[in-house]
Amino acid sequence: MINHNLYPRLGFDPTKFEPVIVMAHVPNALIVNPDNIKASSVPELIEYLKGNSDRTICATQGNGTTSHLTSELFQLMAKVKLRHIPYRGSAPALQGLVAGDVDVMFDNLGVSLALVQAGKLKLLAVASSDRLPALPDVPTMAETLPGFQAVAWYGIVAPPKTPKNIVDKINADVNEALRQPAVQDQLKKLSAGIFGGPVDKASAYMREEIDRWAAVIKSANIELQ
């Protein structure tokens, strides 16, 4: 959903695949090094950044990742600027954040939550549309920046022109799996919310994601080779 807008010469069109189902999603989260950034909320951080944008460093999982694009979305909507330092994945980026080499990061909540719970990082907000039942006191980004949403989601697509009856059968089987308590418990441990539903729901969601991130990529003038 992102790559065909990000890479000018991708070599194939991801939109030609047949959507089957979006299984689950995990919100990106805004986390900061509490020693470097004293802000305790998104409004406080925005206010701080307006006076310290040249000195505030944002780590990401790498160029073109959801972490990077979420930080660009934040800058566009909050009208602030961050210095971008791309790492090669979440683990080294989080290490840099914990060490204080960088100041802020948007990262997958399922990866960073353990560091927040250990007191090494501070969680300011989640980028889901609603507050998470497991973290009811943590606000959403949208409470400060209406419409802000950035989640990592996990879906299944089939090869182009896969017969509808096969797509529907896989969709039904995966939905049945998502209803199993053991599967639900495991997803909960990963801070993942179940999505599921019919093929049409997956198709509509994927189209929304294409439009959402195409606008960010264009506005931020991001292009990878």
Side-chain angles (χ1 to χ4, degrees):
M1 301 302 103
I2 291 174
N3 284 351
H4 72 292
N5 287 307
L6 199 58
Y7 294 91
R9 292 178 293 275
L10 188 59
F12 68 98
D13 184 356
T15 64
K16 297 298 184 182
F17 288 91
E18 301 289 345
V20 177
I21 190 169
V22 175
M23 297 176 289
H25 48 71
V26 182
N28 281 325
L30 173 56
I31 49 178
V32 301
N33 180 296
D35 294 325
N36 293 5
I37 302 293
K38 300 303 181 183
S40 297
S41 67
V42 177
E44 287 181 12
L45 177 63
I46 292 173
E47 187 64 29
Y48 172 81
L49 292 176
K50 288 180 177 178
N52 296 273
S53 59
D54 292 339
R55 299 192 297 273
T56 305
I57 304 173
C58 179
T60 72
Q61 303 155 353
N63 287 319
T65 60
T66 56
S67 175
H68 178 201
L69 296 183
T70 303
S71 72
E72 295 290 350
L73 176 62
F74 172 67
Q75 292 174 80
L76 290 168
M77 294 185 70
K79 297 179 173 59
V80 296
K81 287 293 183 182
L82 296 165
R83 289 174 57 195
H84 175 214
I85 302 296
Y87 284 77
R88 293 184 177 180
S90 284
L94 287 170
Q95 289 174 2
L97 187 60
V98 170
D101 299 330
V102 294
D103 305 309
V104 305
M105 182 178 178
F106 284 93
D107 191 45
N108 187 286
L109 182 63
V111 176
S112 55
L113 184 58
L115 292 170
V116 172
Q117 293 171 333
K120 296 180 179 181
L121 298 174
K122 182 186 292 184
L123 171 61
L124 298 190
V126 293
S128 49
S129 56
D130 300 304
R131 292 195 181 197
L132 301 179
L135 300 169
D137 295 330
V138 178
T140 66
M141 293 293 298
E143 290 174 39
T144 300
L145 301 170
F148 193 107
Q149 184 175 330
V151 301
W153 51 270
Y154 307 93
I156 296 174
V157 296
K161 300 181 180 179
T162 298
K164 185 177 184 301
N165 66 312
I166 295 177
V167 171
D168 289 342
K169 179 65 167 63
I170 300 172
N171 174 275
D173 289 345
V174 176
N175 272 306
E176 177 60 29
L178 293 174
R179 287 191 283 269
Q180 302 304 312
V183 174
Q184 294 181 354
D185 289 344
Q186 186 62 32
L187 289 172
K188 185 177 181 181
K189 291 176 183 177
L190 299 173
S191 302
I194 293 174
F195 196 86
V199 174
D200 289 349
K201 182 181 178 183
S203 298
Y205 184 76
M206 291 181 187
R207 286 194 299 269
E208 290 172 5
E209 286 289 277
I210 290 172
D211 293 342
R212 184 194 316 280
W213 296 115
V216 173
I217 291 166
K218 182 178 180 179
S219 296
N221 195 30
I222 302 170
E223 184 175 297
L224 303 182
Q225 301 301 320

